[in-house]
Amino acid sequence: MNDSMTTTTFELVGYRTVKTIGIVRGIIVRSRSIVGNIGAAFQTLVGGNITIYTELCEKARSDAFLQMMAHAQQRGANAIVGVRYDATEVMQGVTEVLCYGTAVVVEATVPEVPGYSKS
């Protein structure tokens, strides 16, 4: 499965859902390091984007998304609809990132044409 077969909507354009498998998720728990906190503190002095935290958040979201896709594949899905993210601070400096959606099996509704792939 690739990320083009995931969507925040509840249907994939050009496909019809033939089977709903159920909820799939990826969960990552990350903490900030003391070095990262010091670097971020310096960045806050000049203002703007705090890239150390941006990169940490993006990596956590990406890892959770990849775990969710792997979970869907393990359950036999070829697509995920209704994808959402949630984040919770578990304790000071420790954050859980959850990515979840509904695993489905879809079939292309577009007729076979040269150069078109259903996958």
Side-chain angles (χ1 to χ4, degrees):
M1 179 186 316
N2 62 49
D3 60 358
S4 69
M5 297 302 289
T6 65
T7 181
T8 58
T9 65
F10 294 101
E11 63 182 39
L12 280 167
V13 175
Y15 295 86
R16 68 182 180 89
T17 300
V18 294
K19 181 179 181 184
T20 299
I21 295 173
I23 294 174
V24 290
R25 82 283 177 257
I27 301 170
I28 296 292
V29 177
R30 292 283 158 103
S31 66
R32 300 179 301 243
S33 71
I34 189 69
V35 174
N37 283 335
I38 292 169
F42 285 122
Q43 283 187 323
T44 61
L45 294 175
V46 295
N49 185 20
I50 303 172
T51 57
I52 290 172
Y53 289 154
T54 301
E55 291 166 8
L56 177 69
C57 291
E58 185 55 40
K59 177 75 170 128
R61 287 184 187 107
S62 177
D63 289 349
F65 181 81
L66 292 173
Q67 277 190 7
M68 177 194 64
M69 288 199 334
H71 187 209
Q73 285 181 299
Q74 290 168 359
R75 297 193 62 198
N78 65 353
I80 307 169
V81 297
V83 174
R84 301 287 186 267
Y85 287 96
D86 192 19
T88 305
E89 190 171 47
V90 178
M91 60 183 284
Q92 187 173 4
V94 179
T95 303
E96 168 208 35
V97 176
L98 169 66
C99 184
Y100 62 98
T102 302
V104 294
V105 175
V106 296
E107 290 180 351
T109 57
V110 178
E112 289 289 330
V113 293
Y116 176 80
S117 172
K118 286 185 176 184
S119 58

